[in-house]
Amino acid sequence: MRPLKSQYPICWWIFCGYLWVYVLSHSLGWTKEQASKLKGVSALHLSHLSGRTAADAIIGFHESRFSSNGSVTCEDLKGVGSFDTTCLLNSDLYSTTDIYVVGAGNLEILPNVEIVCPIEGCTISFNLSGNAKVGQNAAIVAGTVVFSAASLTMGPNSSLNTSALGGSPPPQTSGTPVGYDGAGGGHGGRGASCLKTNQTNFWGGDVYAWSTLSYPYAYGSKGGRTSDGGKFGGIGGGRVFLNITDVLYINGSVSAKGGDGGTLGGGGSGGSIIIRAQKLRGFGVISAAGGKGWGGGGGGRISMNCYSKQEDVKIAVHGGLSIGCSGNAGAAGTYFDASVLSLRVGNDNLTTETETPLLDFSTSPLWTNVYVENNAKVLVPLLWTRVQVRGQISLYCKSSIIFGLSEYPVSEFELVAEELLMSDSIIKVYGAFRMSVKMLLMLNSHIQVDGGGNADVATSVLEVRNLVVLKDYSVISSNANLALFGQGLLKLTGQGDAIKGQRLSLSQFYNITVGPGSLLQAPLDDDESRSLVTESLCESPTCPVDLVTPPDDCHVNYTLSFSMQVCRVEDILVNGVIKGSIVHIHRSRTVIVDTGGMITASELGCRTGIGMGNYSNGAGAGAGHGGRGGSGFFKGNLSEGGQRYGSADLPCELGSGTEDPYQSDGYVVGGGIIVIGSRQWPLYRLDNYGFISADGQSRGVQTLNSNDTLIGGLGGGSGGTILLFLQSLALAENSSLSVLGGYGGSLGGGGGGGGRIHFHWSKIAGGEEYVPLAFVDGAINFSGGAGSGDGIHGEKGTITGKKCPKGLYGTFCTECRVGTYKDEEGSDVDLCKDCSFERLPTRARFVYVRGGVTQSTCPYKCISEKYRMPKCYTPFEELIYTFGGPWPFTFLLLCIVMLLAVALSTLRIKLMGSGCSYETKNSMEHQDDQRFPYLLSLSEVRGGKSEDTQTHVHRMYFMGPNTFREPWHLPYSPPAAIFEIVYEDAFNRFIDEINSVAAYEWWEGSVHSILLLLAYPCAWSWKQWRRRKKIHRLQEFVKSEYDHSCLRSCRSRALYKGMKVGATPDLMVSYIDFFLGGDEKRIDIVISIQKRFPMPIIFGGDGSYMSPYNLHNDTLLVNLVGQHVPATVWNRLVAGLNAQLRTVRHGSIRTALLPVINWLTTHGNSQLEFHDVKLELGWFQATSSGYYQLGILVVAGGCTLHDLHHSEYLDICDTSSRTSSSVAENSANLDEDNQSHTSHVFSRKKITRGFNGGIINEDTLKSLGYKRDFLFPLSLLLLNTRPVGRQDTVQFFITVMLLADLFVTILMLFLFYWISLGAFLAVLLILPLSLLSPFPAGLNALFTNGPKRASLARVYALWNASSISNILVAFICGMIHYVIISVHSLEKANIWHSKEDEKWWFLPTILVLLKAVQARFVDWNIANLEVKDLSVFSPDPDTFWAYESVS
């Protein structure tokens, strides 16, 4: 029941409406048809009260007409079929009455069929349940066309046309113009009037039916007349209503255009079109355009409610062309898309000056989008209105929206949308403008706010929450206060983009970018605007509080001092220009003025001001501010410059100007104010690559008198103020901060005084937290302007900064230079005092301290990190000075060495026993064991037994030095001594085999070469080891492997006893002894055996330190010589000869052998003469390489060298011997010019029994050849000396030297480790092991007992000598270090080069001396160990032979 009750009021209002129509029709005499139309209109409007839609009301209106007039049948329309099934209309139909069709079937109008009702307001209505189709070129023409069907298909070139057939517009509307100007009719847009000019605002017919914008159903209006009594212009457009439940195909046209008025009338306005369908398809045209006439008609109204639309359907609501004024077509109509609630006003690029008023906007529901495009002009004429949509408001292609009336610029307008998009368009506001959008994009567009100069007009506030972009000469301007705020990006892209206002506030953006050529400006360029902003400050001596401590709300009002405010913007990038009288930027994070960018208040200050320059009789003085203005001077008249004013510590004053008191010479303006940051909200960083200026104006024009003669000019304006509250500043190269005074005018004008610049640093951190406040590479200009003629230059202004804390000074609070300190607050450079040099070590320098030095005790550091604080000692010096200095440290080290030496000596004596007692029993074998027991003992070298003496035939020595390059080898062809006991061919084969056995492998020599580079003692030990192995191999080969096939004796071949291999203990000489087998039959062989003399005996050794020359005396040799000399005599002789040979060095053999020759003469032969034996010194076994061996020739049995004949030599000397002898003669370089020796050459060869060689005496000694190897310099340290006795003392000093060597070596390594790790490694590892090995080698030699002591002592001496190479590397590294630090000191003169650094050579030099002394003690120790009997060195032969029994 409740729904029924709710309909009672509605029914009551409907009944009253019908009653009112009935009474009115009878009282006015209306026809029945007119009354029925009015009832329909009433039904349309009253439908809103009953909750029905406008479409339902229109359908209901026509259904009511159907019931009154009745619907026509298919046959009535000359068709075939029925409207309840399918009706085909195949014939044209012309009617003068309304046509109403109702049915449940389908309708098809065949091609080229026309249904026409040419009466204005005539209606043709089709209300079908099925489908409708209008064929190709078919047409329905009437004042009103209604289609209601399931679907409607319009073929190509088909039309539903109500153009120029509109009935009467709604009552009480002004769509038809009044007057005789031939103006166009109005409907959706105003009709054009050709009376409109830039100064007047005329239009034709006005708009109506705004309230039914979503379902417009009004006729268009007629155009105006051009004369009284003349006809009206074009007829207004009709109405079209298409109510399609499914698909609407439009491939033709749907028109409700206004009629043409020609030249005698205005064009009619467009009618109304309503389209409701599920889907819209096709390529047709829907138009409610205005008609053409003297003044074009306004566009009509179109409403479309389609869920799906094909964009190829063209929709037009533009105004008609104006014949009388082609540039002012009728205003555009409206196209409303009810499906998405969007309004589009477009004029199809027809130029017009006539607006389309938009009277109000829906608030429930809100429209989605509003499009103004293609030269359309929209007017929102109300005093106050709110334009709000859910989506975007777009203006394209020279369109515009005008808010308010130019005659009454006091309105307030509000625009609310998601986006405002503008392209080549204008929004003009008369009054105040408030906008709230998320995005504002402008392309070559303008937003102009005109306050009309009314101070009562509120501030225009544009809120753009996300993005503002201005591009291609887009401008937002206001001649009143303007505020623009948001939360996103504000970007002025480039040339011509600008935001201007009387006062301008930009706030709450996270970034503002002013592109190249863009402009932010407040106030405007005219003097009135500037004076309005600056007037209250020009005469005030106090600083405005709101500039130093501004409010937090960032609001704009007339009480604030700034002309431009940028508030609460995170980052500001300026590539263009920010220009204003008082520019205030605060609550920002960073400001970057890029190259070409500018923030300027130049020439925007006061015309007068406190520091105004005086002007008197043509003499104009400059204005003052930070500096006094320059005085003006003209024809003897002097005027004083303007005074200084304001505070240098916190300036915020406008620059003053100068003006002629009679106003005949104009005026000059001072600089403005730029304040960036505030006390509470300082700027984080200012990066300036461009220009920030507040310069005073210069007088650039000449001043003329009334008779056009030149007189003195005005003075220059003073510079303004730049006040920066910030944390850091970067002033790049070619950038500037400027508060210059202006130049004086021609003929005596004084220059303006400079302005003021102040840096108020927000946070000046000291100490470790200090960060440089400013990086200044650009210019800071604060000088006064130049005077003209006799005019005086203006004084410079001031540049100040916040007072600096301790350690910092200057405007930018920079650190006091290194070597100074500042212990009080202030900015004066004189507060930085010099540090004292008394506490500065020699290797130190004063160092940079972050935040500056705040105390008189200035910190310092050593010139290198290698030195140790606080005295800047090296680690070595620090160690020395820890113990009191060099001398105490040396004494302490000496004491430690002596104590350790005593302890080690005591331990050695306790473990090894004393070495002072000498054995009286001595033999050559024992001495040999002392030398090389660990290489080859006599038990390993097969000696001769007494029974072997009888069968011994010959000792054949191996040739060569037994090295890896030249191993031992035997010559081919058997010697004459064994020629009868061997087979020559088999002997030569034996020579091949044993030479191959004696040869070394390649890898043995390679290992030796490697060890020679790494550690020479190891290389020597390796060579001796391989020699020993080779001796054993030769012995095994001859004893076990070789079958002795070269021997003639069957017994020798069977028992393998005909040949034996032996060697000297030093492994330098090896030989093969040949023995008889016992089964030889020939007597001559036995006789030849008995003739063994002269017999050569070759010395062992090679004259080197490790292998001195010596005569190896084995049992066989003693027995052989014992045939002529007693064994005791021979042994004593050998002992004495070896004592003389131990000091013979191969490198100085010519001088060293002379004492041996003399000894043989005085001690040897003098005793052997009693036994008919004589010894001669000789050289033997010469090889092709020049190597030869020394030995003695034993001559016995009364035979002398002169007794031998040439024929005998020829019998026993073979060809190979001659060849070898020839080589040997050349290698020995014997002096063949000596006649005494030439006569005995062959006899010598005979005496040597086939050995190539010769006798060495005083005459031949000078021509004896020798070679020196690369280790010859070491012979200065390594010498085989005579024993000195006092063995324990010698060994004690060796211990002392050994310990001192170790300590000095460690200290030297410590020193070079300080120099560099590379130097340390080089000294230690070149050669590897050599530097530190002497100590363990020395201990091993000292603490070894037995026969190895002498040999180990030699190895110790070898390690000691080889370590010299490491010391040489130390000298080289030290020299390189010294050169580097010297060059470095020259490059950096401020670095102290200490003399202590030049004493690096001290330790290496001491170590060399220790090595030399140590080597000599070791040599003595070896001599003491090897020679126990000192009597062998006795110079007296009798004394020498007195100890014969002991030997």
Side-chain angles (χ1 to χ4, degrees):
M1 297 299 294
R2 295 182 62 185
L4 182 60
K5 291 180 180 180
S6 64
Q7 299 295 326
Y8 289 159
I10 298 174
C11 294
W12 172 253
W13 283 107
I14 294 174
F15 174 74
C16 293
Y18 276 104
L19 181 62
W20 176 75
V21 171
Y22 177 77
V23 173
L24 184 62
S25 65
H26 282 76
S27 64
L28 297 178
W30 281 356
T31 63
K32 182 178 179 181
E33 181 180 355
Q34 290 172 333
S36 64
K37 290 180 179 180
L38 184 57
K39 292 177 183 177
V41 174
S42 301
L44 177 62
H45 289 283
L46 294 174
S47 65
H48 295 289
L49 300 175
S50 62
R52 301 164 64 193
T53 65
D56 295 334
I58 295 171
I59 294 171
F61 165 69
H62 289 289
E63 288 177 348
S64 66
R65 296 297 300 271
F66 299 159
S67 62
S68 60
N69 294 337
S71 62
V72 297
T73 64
C74 185
E75 291 80 3
D76 294 337
L77 300 180
K78 301 179 182 181
V80 178
S82 169
F83 286 116
D84 290 327
T85 56
T86 299
C87 177
L88 299 176
L89 300 181
N90 54 10
S91 300
D92 293 340
L93 176 65
Y94 294 90
S95 174
T96 58
T97 60
D98 296 343
I99 299 175
Y100 297 93
V101 175
V102 177
N106 303 317
L107 170 65
E108 181 176 355
I109 302 174
L110 297 181
N112 301 312
V113 174
E114 294 184 354
I115 301 175
V116 180
C117 180
I119 308 300
E120 295 179 12
C122 178
T123 299
I124 298 177
S125 175
F126 295 94
N127 188 357
L128 302 171
S129 299
N131 301 321
K133 181 177 181 182
V134 180
Q136 183 176 0
N137 297 322
I140 299 175
V141 180
T144 298
V145 176
V146 178
F147 260 100
S148 179
S151 66
L152 173 62
T153 301
M154 296 180 63
N157 296 323
S158 63
S159 66
L160 303 179
N161 189 2
T162 64
S163 300
L165 290 174
S168 299
Q172 299 180 353
T173 59
S174 55
T176 300
V178 178
Y180 308 107
D181 58 341
H187 180 199
R190 286 172 172 172
S193 171
C194 291
L195 298 178
K196 179 177 176 63
T197 63
N198 292 333
Q199 288 77 28
T200 62
N201 190 15
F202 292 102
W203 63 86
D206 210 344
V207 297
Y208 54 90
W210 174 261
S211 61
T212 59
L213 184 66
S214 59
Y215 286 94
Y217 205 62
Y219 292 114
S221 300
K222 297 179 181 179
R225 297 178 290 188
T226 56
S227 63
D228 187 13
K231 293 183 179 181
F232 283 97
I235 306 300
R239 303 178 300 187
V240 178
F241 174 52
L242 305 179
N243 185 27
I244 309 302
T245 58
D246 192 7
V247 182
L248 171 60
Y249 291 95
I250 299 178
N251 293 314
S253 62
V254 178
S255 302
K257 300 178 181 178
D260 293 342
T263 59
L264 300 178
S269 63
S272 300
I273 299 176
I274 302 175
I275 297 177
R276 186 171 68 175
Q278 185 71 18
K279 300 177 182 178
L280 175 62
R281 299 287 185 268
F283 303 91
V285 176
I286 301 172
S287 177
K292 181 172 67 173
W294 186 254
R301 298 189 189 277
I302 297 176
S303 175
M304 186 179 297
N305 189 350
C306 300
Y307 179 77
S308 174
K309 294 185 291 295
Q310 183 173 324
E311 297 298 331
D312 293 327
V313 177
K314 181 180 180 181
I315 301 172
V317 289
H318 59 81
L321 290 172
S322 297
I323 299 174
C325 46
S326 60
N328 184 19
T334 61
Y335 159 44
F336 187 80
D337 190 341
S339 64
V340 294
L341 298 177
S342 66
L343 175 65
R344 189 179 297 271
V345 181
N347 212 33
D348 278 5
N349 293 318
L350 297 177
T351 304
T352 183
E353 298 297 331
T354 306
E355 299 90 356
T356 301
L358 304 183
L359 301 180
D360 61 3
F361 287 78
S362 174
T363 58
S364 180
L366 292 174
W367 290 347
T368 302
N369 302 313
V370 174
Y371 302 96
V372 182
E373 57 191 7
N374 301 329
N375 276 305
K377 294 187 179 300
V378 168
L379 172 65
V380 183
L382 303 182
L383 182 65
W384 183 92
T385 188
R386 178 185 178 94
V387 178
Q388 182 173 4
V389 298
R390 290 183 296 169
Q392 62 181 232
I393 297 177
S394 302
L395 288 82
Y396 303 127
C397 302
K398 300 181 181 179
S399 60
S400 65
I401 296 180
I402 301 173
F403 291 89
L405 303 174
S406 60
E407 296 83 0
Y408 306 100
V410 292
S411 303
E412 292 188 11
F413 298 93
E414 185 173 3
L415 186 150
V416 180
E418 287 292 307
E419 299 173 357
L420 175 58
L421 309 178
M422 300 178 64
S423 175
D424 295 324
S425 57
I426 297 174
I427 292 179
K428 184 174 291 186
V429 181
Y430 295 100
F433 186 47
R434 295 182 181 273
M435 181 178 71
S436 177
V437 297
K438 286 186 177 179
M439 184 182 299
L440 172 60
L441 303 179
M442 298 176 63
L443 178 67
N444 191 24
S445 300
H446 295 260
I447 297 178
Q448 301 171 354
V449 181
D450 185 359
N454 192 340
D456 296 331
V457 175
T459 299
S460 296
V461 179
L462 310 183
E463 177 187 0
V464 186
R465 293 184 291 278
N466 291 345
L467 178 64
V468 182
V469 177
L470 281 69
K471 189 175 182 181
D472 292 347
Y473 295 90
S474 295
V475 178
I476 300 175
S477 63
S478 173
N479 57 8
N481 292 350
L482 176 63
L484 183 61
F485 70 94
Q487 299 173 359
L489 169 67
L490 169 59
K491 183 174 183 180
L492 284 71
T493 305
Q495 190 69 35
D497 299 327
I499 300 178
K500 303 178 182 180
Q502 176 65 30
R503 276 189 171 89
L504 177 61
S505 175
L506 307 175
S507 60
Q508 299 183 15
F509 293 98
Y510 78 83
N511 180 276
I512 292 179
T513 299
V514 184
S518 300
L519 174 65
L520 295 178
Q521 179 180 349
L524 302 178
D525 292 325
D526 57 286
D527 292 339
E528 184 179 355
S529 296
R530 177 180 50 78
S531 299
L532 186 63
V533 173
T534 61
E535 184 177 3
S536 61
L537 299 179
C538 286
E539 302 300 331
S540 175
T542 60
C543 179
V545 178
D546 57 303
L547 292 180
V548 179
T549 309
D552 294 335
D553 54 8
C554 299
H555 287 173
V556 184
N557 56 66
Y558 291 108
T559 63
L560 298 178
S561 302
F562 65 84
S563 66
M564 176 182 294
Q565 173 183 253
V566 181
C567 176
R568 299 182 68 178
V569 176
E570 286 290 317
D571 302 308
I572 302 171
L573 175 61
V574 182
N575 282 300
V577 177
I578 296 179
K579 180 179 180 182
S581 294
I582 305 171
V583 179
H584 191 192
I585 300 174
H586 74 101
R587 296 196 70 174
S588 297
R589 191 170 66 94
T590 60
V591 175
I592 300 176
V593 182
D594 212 339
T595 304
M598 177 185 297
I599 299 177
T600 179
S602 298
E603 304 179 8
L604 293 173
C606 300
R607 288 178 56 175
T608 56
I610 300 175
M612 175 180 174
N614 299 312
Y615 185 82
S616 175
N617 297 322
H625 181 201
R628 189 176 182 87
S631 299
F633 187 84
F634 178 72
K635 291 185 178 180
N637 298 317
L638 179 67
S639 60
E640 294 293 332
Q643 63 178 346
R644 303 184 191 92
Y645 61 94
S647 171
D649 294 331
L650 196 65
C652 53
E653 307 88 16
L654 291 167
S656 298
T658 303
E659 64 180 6
D660 183 0
Y662 304 104
Q663 300 293 322
S664 61
D665 196 23
Y667 59 88
V668 174
V669 181
I673 300 175
I674 298 176
V675 180
I676 300 179
S678 61
R679 279 181 170 174
Q680 186 177 1
W681 300 101
L683 187 71
Y684 173 71
R685 184 175 182 85
L686 171 61
D687 294 340
N688 183 22
Y689 301 90
F691 306 93
I692 300 177
S693 63
D695 299 336
Q697 185 179 7
S698 298
R699 182 62 177 173
V701 297
Q702 295 179 340
T703 306
L704 300 177
N705 206 344
S706 58
N707 57 1
D708 293 336
T709 59
L710 292 174
I711 62 174
L714 294 174
S718 62
T721 299
I722 297 178
L723 176 59
L724 304 176
F725 296 90
L726 73 167
Q727 186 169 335
S728 63
L729 169 70
L731 197 61
E733 188 176 359
N734 298 324
S735 64
S736 70
L737 291 176
S738 175
V739 287
L740 294 171
Y743 296 162
S746 300
L747 301 180
R756 297 188 187 275
I757 299 176
H758 179 72
F759 300 93
H760 198 87
W761 308 109
S762 61
K763 181 181 179 181
I764 308 175
E768 292 298 325
E769 297 180 357
Y770 172 77
V771 176
L773 301 177
F775 298 93
V776 179
D777 294 322
I780 300 179
N781 301 318
F782 55 98
S783 61
S788 174
D790 294 330
I792 307 302
H793 197 291
E795 293 181 357
K796 67 179 181 180
T798 61
I799 174 171
T800 57
K802 190 177 179 180
K803 186 178 293 186
C804 299
K806 297 178 180 180
L808 307 176
Y809 79 99
T811 303
F812 305 109
C813 290
T814 54
E815 299 153 322
C816 290
R817 63 180 177 81
V818 176
T820 62
Y821 69 95
K822 177 173 171 284
D823 55 359
E824 56 184 306
E825 292 186 352
S827 300
D828 192 351
V829 66
D830 295 332
L831 297 177
C832 295
K833 308 170 186 175
D834 291 332
C835 299
S836 174
F837 283 89
E838 295 180 357
R839 301 178 181 178
L840 188 68
T842 56
R843 287 199 192 102
R845 58 181 175 180
F846 292 114
V847 296
Y848 164 80
V849 176
R850 194 180 188 90
V853 181
T854 59
Q855 298 177 351
S856 59
T857 55
C858 299
Y860 62 87
K861 73 173 184 179
C862 303
I863 60 175
S864 173
E865 294 180 356
K866 297 178 180 180
Y867 300 109
R868 302 290 184 87
M869 293 289 287
K871 297 296 185 180
C872 294
Y873 289 147
T874 65
F876 178 67
E877 291 171 343
E878 192 173 32
L879 175 64
I880 291 176
Y881 284 99
T882 301
F883 295 96
W887 292 111
F889 178 78
T890 303
F891 178 75
L892 177 63
L893 188 62
L894 182 60
C895 293
I896 294 174
V897 168
M898 296 303 295
L899 289 175
L900 290 176
V902 170
L904 288 176
S905 297
T906 304
L907 181 62
R908 178 182 55 78
I909 293 173
K910 185 175 182 180
L911 295 177
M912 306 297 157
S914 176
C916 295
S917 59
Y918 294 92
E919 298 179 9
T920 56
K921 183 181 180 181
N922 190 11
S923 66
M924 200 63 215
E925 289 83 356
H926 181 70
Q927 293 179 26
D928 290 341
D929 290 349
Q930 289 287 334
R931 219 177 265 119
F932 309 101
Y934 65 101
L935 295 174
L936 188 66
S937 64
L938 287 179
S939 61
E940 294 173 311
V941 180
R942 297 181 180 277
K945 299 180 181 179
S946 58
E947 59 271 17
D948 291 338
T949 306
Q950 302 300 325
T951 61
H952 183 265
V953 178
H954 180 68
R955 174 168 288 182
M956 187 175 183
Y957 290 92
F958 280 89
M959 302 175 65
N962 192 19
T963 62
F964 297 107
R965 291 178 178 271
E966 188 178 0
W968 281 327
H969 60 279
L970 292 175
Y972 291 95
S973 296
I978 62 172
F979 191 81
E980 299 296 334
I981 65 173
V982 298
Y983 298 109
E984 185 174 2
D985 293 339
F987 180 81
N988 290 334
R989 289 193 298 271
F990 166 70
I991 294 300
D992 286 334
E993 294 179 18
I994 199 167
N995 285 345
S996 64
V997 173
Y1000 291 99
E1001 298 291 339
W1002 66 268
W1003 58 269
E1004 295 175 298
S1006 299
V1007 172
H1008 178 264
S1009 299
I1010 294 172
L1011 292 177
L1012 195 64
L1013 295 176
L1014 298 179
Y1016 180 77
C1018 295
W1020 182 83
S1021 299
W1022 167 263
K1023 182 170 65 175
Q1024 292 299 100
W1025 180 49
R1026 299 316 298 170
R1027 283 174 174 175
R1028 179 183 178 188
K1029 291 294 184 182
K1030 188 60 65 178
I1031 290 294
H1032 284 207
R1033 180 73 183 94
L1034 290 173
Q1035 290 177 342
E1036 290 297 323
F1037 174 77
V1038 174
K1039 178 181 178 181
S1040 305
E1041 298 179 18
Y1042 181 61
D1043 57 1
H1044 291 62
S1045 60
C1046 66
L1047 298 177
R1048 294 179 182 271
S1049 172
C1050 296
R1051 186 172 180 272
S1052 296
R1053 291 198 304 270
L1055 298 179
Y1056 287 16
K1057 290 186 177 181
M1059 294 183 294
K1060 294 181 181 179
V1061 176
T1064 58
D1066 58 6
L1067 307 180
M1068 293 299 297
V1069 176
S1070 182
Y1071 50 84
I1072 298 179
D1073 287 320
F1074 289 87
F1075 299 92
L1076 295 176
D1079 57 347
E1080 289 83 0
K1081 303 295 185 180
R1082 299 176 59 182
I1083 299 177
D1084 56 341
I1085 294 178
V1086 177
I1087 296 173
S1088 64
I1089 291 174
Q1090 295 175 355
K1091 297 180 181 180
R1092 296 186 179 92
F1093 298 94
M1095 181 177 66
I1097 303 175
I1098 296 178
F1099 296 151
D1102 58 359
S1104 66
Y1105 178 75
M1106 300 301 293
S1107 299
Y1109 291 120
N1110 68 90
L1111 178 61
H1112 173 55
N1113 191 25
D1114 56 15
T1115 304
L1116 178 61
L1117 190 59
V1118 172
N1119 293 335
L1120 289 175
V1121 177
Q1123 298 176 6
H1124 301 278
V1125 179
T1128 55
V1129 175
W1130 178 252
N1131 288 336
R1132 184 63 177 176
L1133 177 67
V1134 169
L1137 180 60
N1138 284 337
Q1140 299 298 321
L1141 289 175
R1142 67 174 286 106
T1143 59
V1144 175
R1145 290 180 295 170
H1146 183 75
S1148 56
I1149 194 169
R1150 292 179 181 176
T1151 57
L1153 282 180
L1154 185 59
V1156 178
I1157 296 173
N1158 295 332
W1159 188 89
L1160 285 175
T1161 303
T1162 58
H1163 290 66
N1165 290 329
S1166 61
Q1167 180 67 21
L1168 294 179
E1169 288 178 355
F1170 297 104
H1171 306 286
D1172 198 17
V1173 175
K1174 186 176 183 179
L1175 301 181
E1176 293 287 345
L1177 188 65
W1179 57 270
F1180 309 94
Q1181 301 283 97
T1183 64
S1184 59
S1185 64
Y1187 177 80
Y1188 58 89
Q1189 295 167 314
L1190 296 181
I1192 58 173
L1193 184 67
V1194 182
V1195 181
C1199 181
T1200 64
L1201 296 177
H1202 298 279
D1203 296 335
L1204 300 176
H1205 300 286
H1206 175 58
S1207 59
E1208 294 177 351
Y1209 169 76
L1210 293 177
D1211 293 337
I1212 60 176
C1213 185
D1214 59 6
T1215 305
S1216 63
S1217 297
R1218 294 192 191 99
T1219 304
S1220 300
S1221 176
S1222 155
V1223 173
E1225 289 290 339
N1226 294 332
S1227 65
N1229 296 321
L1230 294 177
D1231 187 5
E1232 295 183 1
D1233 295 333
N1234 192 326
Q1235 297 297 327
S1236 62
H1237 300 290
T1238 303
S1239 60
H1240 302 292
V1241 170
F1242 296 105
S1243 64
R1244 287 201 302 272
K1245 294 186 181 291
K1246 173 66 178 178
I1247 292 171
T1248 57
R1249 302 185 60 80
F1251 288 95
N1252 56 80
I1255 301 301
I1256 300 175
N1257 50 36
E1258 293 181 2
D1259 297 324
T1260 62
L1261 188 62
K1262 297 179 181 180
S1263 60
L1264 190 64
Y1266 64 92
K1267 292 182 179 180
R1268 292 178 178 177
D1269 57 12
F1270 67 96
L1271 296 178
F1272 174 75
L1274 293 181
S1275 62
L1276 300 176
L1277 295 178
L1278 303 177
L1279 295 174
N1280 287 305
T1281 63
R1282 296 185 178 186
V1284 295
R1286 304 183 181 276
Q1287 182 70 355
D1288 288 337
T1289 302
V1290 171
Q1291 290 185 349
F1292 173 76
F1293 279 111
I1294 291 176
T1295 304
V1296 172
M1297 292 296 106
L1298 190 64
L1299 291 172
D1301 179 281
L1302 176 64
F1303 285 127
V1304 175
T1305 299
I1306 293 174
L1307 291 176
M1308 186 185 71
L1309 290 175
F1310 187 43
L1311 173 65
F1312 279 88
Y1313 181 80
W1314 167 80
I1315 291 176
S1316 72
L1317 180 60
F1320 169 79
L1321 294 177
V1323 172
L1324 182 63
L1325 300 180
I1326 302 177
L1327 299 171
L1329 309 177
S1330 295
L1331 190 61
L1332 297 177
S1333 296
F1335 183 74
L1339 290 180
N1340 186 33
L1342 290 174
F1343 284 84
T1344 299
N1345 202 358
K1348 293 183 178 180
R1349 296 183 66 183
S1351 59
L1352 291 178
R1354 288 184 183 274
V1355 174
Y1356 161 46
L1358 203 60
W1359 279 113
N1360 181 63
S1362 63
S1363 63
I1364 298 294
S1365 60
N1366 297 74
I1367 303 176
L1368 293 178
V1369 173
F1371 276 106
I1372 295 173
C1373 293
M1375 286 298 298
I1376 294 174
H1377 166 70
Y1378 178 74
V1379 171
I1380 290 175
I1381 63 173
S1382 298
V1383 172
H1384 190 62
S1385 300
L1386 292 176
E1387 291 178 352
K1388 297 184 178 180
N1390 59 331
I1391 295 182
W1392 181 265
H1393 179 44
S1394 176
K1395 293 184 178 180
E1396 284 80 356
D1397 296 333
E1398 301 176 358
K1399 298 180 180 179
W1400 57 267
W1401 54 268
F1402 189 68
L1403 285 178
T1405 303
I1406 292 178
L1407 193 58
V1408 169
L1409 295 177
L1410 288 175
K1411 296 289 184 183
V1413 175
Q1414 189 176 182
R1416 188 46 47 92
F1417 278 107
V1418 173
D1419 294 340
W1420 290 340
N1421 179 54
I1422 293 172
N1424 289 338
L1425 292 175
E1426 291 182 346
V1427 182
K1428 301 296 185 180
D1429 186 6
L1430 297 179
S1431 63
V1432 295
F1433 292 98
S1434 175
D1436 182 18
D1438 295 335
T1439 304
F1440 172 79
W1441 289 107
Y1443 292 92
E1444 175 185 347
S1445 60
V1446 176
S1447 301

